Amino acid sequence: MNKSGIFSLPVRVYFQDTDAGGVVYHANYLNFMERARTEWLRTHGYSNAGLMKEFGVVFVVRSLKLDYLKPALLDDMLGVTVQIKEIGRSRISLLQTVRRRHGVALKVGNPLSGKPDVELTPEQSGREPTQSHDTHGGRASAEVSEGLRKEEVMVEAEVHLVSVSIESFKPVSVPEVLRNQWKDQMAWK
């Protein structure tokens, strides 16, 4: 999470995320955003299971508004963001975006062979999945150079969550420990 209070999760677009034309299927953006919210919650010390166990609450989506601006494509590297807009007694409003990252270099190497890593530029790795896969027994990892990063917004969303009891599914107060962390985070703005 950066000082502006924006959390970003890197997500690679896989074949399973796309339609027959290699374009991300519209509903999969919701999955990307759900993953980002889950990991964002973890940065505040709680998993969904932990919230249920410790506080007897879970956050559910009450409503959302999505604007699809540009299509994400097979093998794109995306950044999915989460930022707090507003906190109420039992609700929280978030702003989320899905952005295409440019300037992301993939390092591909075989740690067992002793051969150096090979850096693939976006042009080299862009939509050629064979170059970003584990083809030589090594691991691929994404590294972002701040100076090279250019991002295009693909989707913008406003998501309204409600804290509900796991027993009754009726609204309950957001756990105080999270409310305090999130209010501090909002103070960064």
Side-chain angles (χ1 to χ4, degrees):
M1 181 136 18
N2 63 31
K3 287 199 176 201
S4 65
I6 300 173
F7 172 84
S8 183
L9 178 71
V11 173
R12 171 75 66 190
V13 175
Y14 294 111
F15 189 74
Q16 69 190 27
D17 301 319
T18 65
D19 61 16
V23 174
V24 172
Y25 180 66
H26 71 278
N28 285 333
Y29 291 102
L30 296 174
N31 293 329
F32 298 158
M33 288 186 270
E34 178 73 27
R35 282 184 225 155
R37 287 194 307 274
T38 298
E39 295 306 319
W40 166 76
L41 185 60
R42 287 181 194 278
T43 67
H44 294 284
Y46 292 94
S47 65
N48 285 307
L51 284 177
M52 289 186 269
K53 184 177 180 180
E54 187 171 340
F55 301 107
V57 303
V58 67
F59 289 101
V60 296
V61 174
R62 181 182 181 276
S63 65
L64 57 93
K65 177 186 179 247
L66 280 95
D67 288 319
Y68 297 98
L69 306 172
K70 293 182 180 183
L73 306 172
L74 178 63
D75 214 31
D76 275 348
M77 188 63 173
L78 307 174
V80 185
T81 67
V82 180
Q83 182 177 22
I84 298 171
K85 179 180 179 186
E86 186 180 3
I87 302 171
R89 184 188 73 78
S90 62
R91 66 172 173 72
I92 180 168
S93 297
L94 302 172
L95 301 175
Q96 290 197 258
T97 62
V98 178
R99 300 168 185 267
R100 179 183 294 126
R101 295 172 129 182
H102 295 288
V104 176
L106 287 179
K107 280 191 161 185
V108 180
N110 183 348
L112 301 176
S113 72
K115 293 180 181 176
D117 287 345
V118 176
E119 285 202 23
L120 302 176
T121 66
E123 294 77 24
Q124 292 169 319
S125 65
R127 297 203 177 46
E128 298 174 24
T130 56
Q131 292 183 2
S132 63
H133 285 259
D134 185 7
T135 57
H136 302 291
R139 295 180 181 246
S141 64
E143 294 187 2
V144 178
S145 166
E146 289 296 324
L148 294 176
R149 185 187 309 170
K150 294 178 184 174
E151 297 181 344
E152 293 178 87
V153 177
M154 316 312 286
V155 174
E156 293 178 326
E158 187 168 329
V159 182
H160 301 278
L161 303 175
V162 176
S163 173
V164 299
S165 162
I166 59 172
E167 293 177 4
S168 66
F169 280 93
K170 291 188 179 186
V172 296
S173 292
V174 171
E176 196 64 30
V177 65
L178 285 174
R179 178 187 304 283
N180 291 336
Q181 287 183 47
W182 292 340
K183 287 200 182 234
D184 287 346
Q185 187 176 326
M186 287 179 65
W188 289 346
K189 292 181 183 179

